[in-house]
Amino acid sequence: MNNTSAQSPAVSRILQAIRAVVGDGSVALHEPRFAGNEWAYLKDCLDSTFVSSVGRYVDRFEADLAAYTGARHAVAVVNGTAALHVALQLAGVQAGDEVLVPALTFVATANAVAYCGAIPHFVDSEERTLGLDPQALRDYLGATTELRDGRCVNLATGRVIRAVIPMHAFGHPLDIEGVLALARDFHLEVVEDATESLGSTIHGKHTGTFGRMGVLSFNGNKVITTGGGGAILTDDTELAKHAKHLTTTAKLPHRWAYVHDEIGYNYRLPNINAALGCAQLEQLSGFVEAKRRLHARYQTAFAGISEAHILVEPEGCRSNYWLQTLLLDEPVADLRDELLQATNDAGLMTRPVWMLMHNLPPYRACPSMPLPVSGSLEKRIINLPSSVTVGSA
């Protein structure tokens, strides 16, 4: 039995608001839903014996993803981290380069930079979107870098800043137009991290399709899942061909010979995972609508809570609301851990935002701009139960 007598009044009110939405019993943070053709497609895949990296479901999944997002090409890979890794390589990121990465992100964003032998350079976010703040970054780069031979050079380290990775946190679209303008002015490549925002749009255009490349993830906790899985989106036909080549061990086509013309990766999505993805993608529009209805219910439940609010999509954007995001007000930020304990003790799986990247042991020595907003958000964000079935009974 949960002892609520020791809870602060604000925590009790917030707990009651969550219960009003999710109902009784234990509730997971995010679970997949399999209610379509998953069993049929998986059986068809098994019957065909094509369960690995070759098969018609891989081709279909890529075509369906391209059609849904509006990208000219989609290249399916084993996970979102692999997609980021290869996209950064294709963007020209080299060992010793720096890449601008939001401090407020999942560790995979920074790890993909490190896989290239490059150095993450951590930047601040804005509270309105939780995403990279292009104006703050513009001011920072203006004071700390210079353009040499068409390249952005960090004056403190002497290294080239090659690229920027804007990440749409929890599916909420960030100010991508501001990021693209910044990238043009400072000669940066843009690799858009849309791993959490499948189904989100900005002025009707799908996230992940604004820069030369964007990446998606289909992990088990994402809006749709292939078990694992990710994809690279691009309108550049040559880039897409190169991405597919690199992620298929860089093997040259031949009926029997094994010739690999560059260092490649065994990153192709298996056909059996793609079969699951095809069935999930057929239901994606319904999943997004369910999440948007859930968001509306949370907003209603929290309308009377003065200490916190539910994050709302920016104007002109449409969020998939992958993870519903509660933002505590600054004066009650110290209640975050009490609220996390109270909700999880009650069987409600809630989670804080990730530890900021510059505080993680592998990245403490990396360059960083001042991070006042990210530091504040880290103390105040709580993700609420967000499965498409939550509160639908």
Side-chain angles (χ1 to χ4, degrees):
M1 192 70 143
N2 205 29
N3 181 9
T4 60
S5 60
Q7 290 175 1
S8 66
V11 167
S12 295
R13 287 193 294 273
I14 292 172
L15 187 58
Q16 290 170 9
I18 298 171
R19 276 291 182 206
V21 174
V22 305
D24 298 328
S26 297
V27 186
L29 181 68
H30 196 286
E31 293 178 313
R33 184 167 190 256
F34 305 117
N37 288 313
E38 289 88 353
W39 284 107
Y41 292 170
L42 287 172
K43 184 179 186 305
D44 181 52
C45 185
L46 292 171
D47 288 343
S48 75
T49 74
F50 284 92
V51 297
S52 194
S53 57
V54 176
R56 68 185 183 93
Y57 282 108
V58 179
D59 296 336
R60 174 181 163 184
F61 187 53
E62 290 177 332
D64 289 352
L65 275 176
Y68 182 88
T69 61
R72 187 171 296 167
H73 305 283
V75 179
V77 296
V78 291
N79 53 53
T81 310
L84 272 170
H85 177 203
V86 171
L88 287 168
Q89 278 197 307
L90 292 170
V93 173
Q94 304 171 29
D97 287 345
E98 293 181 11
V99 177
L100 300 169
V101 174
L104 186 78
T105 189
F106 181 58
V107 70
T109 315
N111 285 347
V113 175
Y115 296 163
C116 296
I119 298 95
H121 187 146
F122 297 114
V123 301
D124 206 11
S125 295
E126 57 177 345
E127 183 165 323
R128 179 178 62 96
T129 68
L130 308 184
L132 184 156
D133 185 335
Q135 186 56 57
L137 181 54
R138 178 180 290 276
D139 294 342
Y140 171 73
L141 293 178
T144 61
T145 69
E146 69 177 18
L147 293 178
R148 299 178 190 165
D149 300 322
R151 299 183 299 177
C152 182
V153 177
N154 184 339
L155 292 173
T157 65
R159 293 188 290 249
V160 172
I161 301 178
R162 188 77 61 182
V164 59
I165 308 177
M167 196 277 285
H168 304 282
F170 309 130
H172 302 295
L174 55 77
D175 179 7
I176 193 64
E177 289 97 341
V179 173
L180 293 173
L182 171 88
R184 285 192 296 270
D185 292 345
F186 287 89
H187 297 200
L188 304 171
E189 291 285 346
V190 176
V191 176
E192 197 179 344
D193 185 343
T195 51
E196 300 176 355
S197 62
L198 180 63
S200 298
T201 59
I202 302 169
H203 303 304
K205 184 176 172 66
H206 199 284
T207 55
T209 65
F210 286 84
R212 286 181 69 204
M213 285 171 288
V215 301
L216 302 172
S217 171
F218 313 111
N219 191 32
N221 65 347
K222 293 299 194 297
V223 180
I224 68 167
T225 185
T226 59
I232 299 170
L233 303 177
T234 184
D235 286 341
D236 188 318
T237 299
E238 290 306 311
L239 269 182
K241 288 179 180 177
H242 199 183
K244 188 167 290 191
H245 184 60
L246 279 180
T247 57
T248 317
T249 69
K251 181 181 181 297
L252 295 175
H254 194 279
R255 289 175 59 197
W256 59 79
Y258 290 88
V259 180
H260 306 260
D261 63 347
E262 58 184 314
I263 296 173
Y265 306 94
N266 190 14
Y267 279 175
R268 288 291 283 160
L269 185 70
N271 196 48
I272 195 166
N273 296 85
L276 183 61
C278 287
Q280 286 273 286
L281 196 53
E282 291 172 348
Q283 303 165 77
L284 176 55
S285 295
F287 290 168
V288 172
E289 290 305 318
K291 284 180 164 295
R292 292 180 64 80
R293 289 193 298 270
L294 177 60
H295 176 264
R297 290 196 292 271
Y298 272 124
Q299 273 197 292
T300 298
F302 277 87
I305 305 294
S306 60
E307 298 89 352
H309 66 276
I310 301 295
L311 194 72
V312 178
E313 63 197 3
E315 186 178 353
C317 298
R318 181 177 170 86
S319 176
N320 67 5
Y321 289 115
W322 168 53
L323 290 184
Q324 308 290 340
T325 304
L326 179 70
L327 194 58
L328 296 173
D329 291 347
E330 288 272 11
V332 295
D334 59 349
L335 293 180
R336 188 199 73 166
D337 289 350
E338 181 187 341
L339 181 56
L340 287 167
Q341 180 171 338
T343 49
N344 282 277
D345 285 351
L348 302 173
M349 187 180 290
T350 59
R351 289 292 182 269
V353 75
W354 319 280
M355 181 182 291
L356 297 185
M357 294 298 101
H358 73 297
N359 289 327
L360 294 177
Y363 297 121
R364 286 175 184 161
C366 292
S368 174
M369 72 181 285
L371 302 167
V373 177
S374 298
S376 173
L377 290 172
E378 181 186 26
K379 299 172 184 176
R380 298 159 53 212
I381 289 174
I382 294 179
N383 291 133
L384 305 179
S386 302
S387 304
V388 297
T389 55
V390 167
S392 60

